Amino acid sequence: MTAPPLDPPLDPAPAPQPAAPPVRRPVPGLGALRETGRLFSLAVTTVGAMFRRPFQVRELIEQFWFIASVTILPAALVSIPFGAVIALQVGSLTQQLGAQSFTGGASVLAIIQQASPLIVALLIAGAGGSAICADLGSRKIREELDAMEVMGVSPVQRLVVPRVLAAMFVAVLLNGLVSVVGTLGGYFFNVIMQHGTPGAYLASFSALAQLPDLYISELKALIFGFIAGIVAAYRGLNPRGGPKGVGDAVNQSVVITFLLLFFVNMVLTGIYLQIVPAKGS
Amino acid sequence: MGIEVVVEGLTKSFGSQTVWQDVTLTLPPGEVSVMLGPSGTGKTVFLKSVIGLLKPERGRVMVNGVDMVNSPERDVYEARKLFGLMFQDGALFGSMSLFDNIAFPLREHTKKKESEIRRVVMERMDMVGLLGAEGKLPGEISGGMRKRAGLARALVLDPQIILCDEPDSGLDPVRTAYISQLLIDLNAQLDATMLIVTHNIDIASTVPDNMGMLFRRRLVAFGPREVLLTSQEPVVAQFLGGHRAGPIGMSEEKDEATMALEERHGVTGSSSVPRAIEPQLEPTPGLPVRRAVLRRRERVLGLLDTLPPAARHAIESSFDRTGHVVAGQAAPAGRAGGGPS
Ligand SMILES: Nc1ncnc2c1ncn2[C@@H]1O[C@H](COP(=O)(O)OP(=O)(O)O)[C@@H](O)[C@H]1O
Ligand SMILES: [Mg+2]
């Protein structure tokens, strides 16, 4: 337990420099691969931490409330014109094909399966995710997260898990909201503007749509919420170089989330259409 | 009693920039050590490596059988509960009041009742002179207060090892003197192993039992305080003397040409005059004596033969001055025993 004493000959000459390591040319694409790996590892850690005690109920409720409060109104406002646009487009298309009686079913399917989860995803990523990313990023550069780790508290469990769960729950609820509002908007425009008959609209609806359509819609929303939350948390936890870095991180997190979400949406839609038989076929 | 921290062959780089390499030292249990170094030499990086926040590429940091560098994350988290770290800027949670900040570790790691938490937090706030500010948010107080709040938060779990990152920066000289006294008082009360990182010469010359210095990507020295305080090593002498002549320049290192130029223009330090060693601070009367003092005496007497003559002199005379046990009796016994090892 002795402290090593002063090593006697303290040469004033500069310490011999270690030979500079040979400049390694980074393999292109390796950086992106590494980032992807870290993102996945954060996702796995987060899922693991979801089941660990103590669960941060308060933080979850606060985050849930926060994300809901910044997304509900824009979601409702966006979904009315979106429902209308789809209804009008599908309506005019079916008219050309001579299949007006199916307008209702077709536009509702388009809204519930595609439009609604994507609207939700954009809002969760744009409004909720950017706030999560900025919040975590500024905590990181203020060393709050380091302080937490030093006190033996995992920032993933304490901060990331409640935020990701909140994003997922809000996404599911918001998806329900957008589906309803969008469908109503579509109905309104089809019946009032295009002079469709309410009866035909509803009848075609139950002829084409089935319950799994709603399930896949909610499942998509759940997965999109998870991705938006994880990407925002990942970029927030790893900002580069000071406050400017946080701004960049927020920006990137939104862009990365969009890219991922559209890709995942394609994959999910493909799988769904393969494994769930269309109604009546 | 505090816990010993053994650092062996630690090397840390960021990309191609080596911060320091091959740092080896031992923080003796319960003693106060100071790590000096000009700005940007990696003192903060060193503290964060000791506590496992940063992972050095080589070497290890042994604390209670756990290697803070290479052990599994779970063990490191567990070992961190032995530590209290005071960050350079306090690192308080911006959304919580000072009270909640300081209560945070208690609420996370203990099952104490709220009244009990209140008692402990108030006691610590009193200790660092923050009573009355418990409802304030970190954004509403001065830097010095944030720092003291950070210290209070580091202290609530009665840590065995206390790490302080520049406790003086941003404080005026009077507050710095208070902080120095506070650190010594803490050591007397908790008997914790302490490592203080600073470039403040007043703290360096009055607080620690041991002192080290980081410069030019390596540990220049680490040993009993007298060794550095009497050192004629140019870097150490320049730093402790606070003058321009010497190897430390504005951008950390001077080149040969600048040094020669300064010599010709008569920029010289007072390194030829041996500095008088200031006595170490004593705990405030009424507090228990520092148990580390006796342990250190044993240890240092064991090392005495390996130290440079000036340091040996300084140590002997300081033991004569402060020792109630006459050095003539204690010294040979200590030397014969070879000190604890
Ligand atoms: N996270 C980091 N990434 C890259 N370089 C860093 C990081 N942290 C510190 N450094 C570099 O390490 C060196 C030492 O920094 P620091 O430990 O803060 O010095 P100080 O002794 O003033 O506390 C600086 O040159 C700094 O640029
Ligand atoms: Mg520093």
Side-chain angles (χ1 to χ4, degrees):
Chain A
M1 67 172 236
T2 48
L6 196 66
D7 38 348
L10 284 170
D11 60 329
Q17 294 292 314
V23 184
R24 259 183 303 164
R25 199 177 286 275
V27 182
L30 208 61
L33 210 58
R34 189 177 299 134
E35 296 274 312
T36 314
R38 292 209 186 117
L39 182 68
F40 269 94
S41 111
L42 177 67
V44 171
T45 317
T46 306
V47 172
M50 280 176 190
F51 301 100
R52 203 167 309 138
R53 247 125 257 288
F55 188 75
Q56 301 296 328
V57 180
R58 225 186 100 158
E59 186 89 12
L60 173 64
I61 295 173
E62 279 175 11
Q63 287 301 318
F64 182 87
W65 181 243
F66 168 73
I67 299 179
S69 68
V70 294
T71 48
I72 283 182
L73 189 62
L77 292 180
V78 167
S79 52
I80 295 173
F82 218 100
V85 168
I86 291 183
L88 292 176
Q89 185 76 59
V90 172
S92 92
L93 202 66
T94 47
Q95 211 153 24
Q96 287 168 11
L97 296 173
Q100 289 100 315
S101 54
F102 289 113
T103 310
S107 67
V108 165
L109 278 184
I111 289 171
I112 290 186
Q113 272 201 41
Q114 298 301 328
S116 175
L118 282 176
I119 290 177
V120 168
L122 298 188
L123 283 166
I124 291 279
S130 59
I132 291 175
C133 183
D135 178 36
L136 291 180
S138 58
R139 284 173 190 250
K140 174 78 187 176
I141 61 168
R142 283 201 307 259
E143 294 191 311
E144 284 187 24
L145 303 184
D146 286 352
M148 226 175 234
E149 273 193 51
V150 163
M151 290 186 273
V153 176
S154 155
V156 170
Q157 188 187 359
R158 174 87 199 186
L159 300 174
V160 175
V161 167
R163 279 165 177 73
V164 171
L165 283 179
M168 291 165 73
F169 291 161
V170 172
V172 169
L173 294 186
L174 217 53
N175 189 49
L177 175 83
V178 173
S179 298
V180 171
V181 176
T183 307
L184 289 181
Y187 175 80
F188 177 82
F189 274 81
N190 184 262
V191 172
I192 308 287
M193 312 280 290
Q194 294 183 317
H195 310 293
T197 48
Y201 195 92
L202 293 180
S204 73
F205 179 35
S206 51
L208 288 182
Q210 52 184 343
L211 216 45
D213 297 334
L214 194 62
Y215 297 157
I216 182 69
S217 171
E218 291 291 37
L219 180 69
K220 275 184 183 176
L222 195 71
I223 292 176
F224 292 173
F226 178 76
I227 293 178
I230 289 286
V231 173
Y234 174 72
R235 293 305 295 131
L237 291 178
N238 302 286
R240 282 195 208 90
K244 171 80 167 64
V246 177
D248 295 346
V250 172
N251 195 327
Q252 289 168 11
S253 97
V254 174
V255 175
I256 295 172
T257 312
F258 283 4
L259 292 179
L260 274 179
L261 290 184
F262 279 90
F263 180 73
V264 171
N265 182 41
M266 186 186 78
V267 173
L268 284 179
T269 306
I271 294 177
Y272 175 76
L273 292 180
Q274 278 297 319
I275 63 175
V276 179
K279 195 167 183 181
S281 63
Chain B
M1 184 170 112
I3 294 177
E4 183 181 49
V5 178
V6 182
V7 178
E8 285 170 10
L10 217 55
T11 300
K12 174 73 193 158
S13 329
F14 290 110
S16 62
Q17 174 206 8
T18 305
V19 185
W20 28 250
Q21 52 191 346
D22 209 18
V23 173
T24 298
L25 57 85
T26 299
L27 303 179
E31 294 185 21
V32 183
S33 306
V34 155
M35 182 64 80
L36 288 169
S39 302
T41 43
K43 303 185 295 296
T44 302
V45 172
F46 182 70
L47 281 192
K48 288 186 176 173
S49 303
V50 168
I51 207 164
L53 275 180
L54 293 174
K55 300 291 178 193
E57 288 75 42
R58 265 183 286 132
R60 48 186 209 152
V61 177
M62 298 304 297
V63 176
N64 218 8
V66 177
D67 180 353
M68 302 302 286
V69 182
N70 302 310
S71 284
E73 201 64 4
R74 185 173 311 170
D75 295 349
V76 172
Y77 263 96
E78 205 52 42
R80 283 202 188 123
K81 292 179 188 162
L82 300 169
F83 282 86
L85 169 61
M86 171 192 177
F87 280 82
Q88 196 160 347
D89 305 311
L92 301 173
F93 303 127
S95 55
M96 293 185 193
S97 70
L98 288 195
F99 183 92
D100 289 335
N101 260 289
I102 298 170
F104 183 86
L106 288 172
R107 289 180 177 150
E108 289 295 323
H109 292 308
T110 67
K111 297 205 182 330
K112 285 192 165 67
K113 284 200 291 290
E114 203 54 26
S115 59
E116 174 78 348
I117 290 180
R118 186 154 197 91
R119 192 185 59 73
V120 177
V121 172
M122 284 308 177
E123 196 181 297
R124 293 298 187 247
M125 291 190 89
D126 189 21
M127 230 173 185
V128 299
L130 279 177
L131 273 189
E134 56 268 20
K136 292 223 163 65
L137 287 175
E140 301 168 347
I141 58 175
S142 72
M145 288 168 83
R146 273 201 291 276
K147 208 156 237 192
R148 282 180 284 153
L151 181 58
R153 188 178 62 182
L155 293 177
V156 283
L157 286 181
D158 295 325
Q160 311 271 324
I161 305 165
I162 302 175
L163 309 175
C164 293
D165 197 349
E166 305 206 3
D168 56 286
S169 71
L171 295 191
D172 57 73
V174 177
R175 263 50 175 271
T176 305
Y178 273 112
I179 265 268
S180 302
Q181 186 65 52
L182 174 63
L183 292 170
I184 282 291
D185 288 353
L186 280 176
N187 184 254
Q189 286 164 294
L190 304 175
D191 198 23
T193 308
M194 294 170 67
L195 176 60
I196 303 162
V197 148
T198 182
H199 45 224
N200 182 293
I201 302 168
D202 290 328
I203 292 189
S205 55
T206 58
V207 174
D209 299 305
N210 306 290
M211 218 195 278
M213 181 161 171
L214 282 173
F215 184 62
R216 275 192 187 132
R217 291 172 287 287
R218 65 192 188 107
L219 183 67
V220 178
F222 187 85
R225 65 194 283 265
E226 290 85 357
V227 175
L228 268 87
L229 291 173
T230 59
S231 174
Q232 292 302 309
E233 156 80 4
V235 177
V236 180
Q238 180 193 5
F239 195 79
L240 292 174
H243 38 74
R244 274 190 297 138
I248 309 174
M250 191 66 185
S251 57
E252 181 164 346
E253 280 166 50
K254 285 181 195 166
D255 46 32
E256 300 295 322
T258 323
M259 276 182 78
L261 194 73
E262 282 179 351
E263 224 150 87
R264 250 180 289 131
H265 287 223
V267 181
T268 50
S270 48
S271 51
S272 48
V273 187
R275 287 179 303 274
I277 296 190
E278 284 184 58
Q280 198 177 7
L281 284 174
E282 295 286 334
T284 310
L287 291 181
V289 292
R290 293 180 55 223
R291 272 160 286 173
V293 172
L294 263 182
R295 287 197 300 265
R296 174 178 185 270
R297 174 194 294 263
E298 290 271 302
R299 191 174 63 79
V300 170
L301 285 175
L303 292 174
L304 212 53
D305 296 331
T306 63
L307 302 180
R312 198 179 323 164
H313 260 105
I315 290 173
E316 276 164 353
S317 65
S318 79
F319 284 175
D320 285 345
R321 192 155 15 92
T322 59
H324 306 293
V325 195
V326 184
Q329 291 171 358
R335 243 184 271 185
S341 56

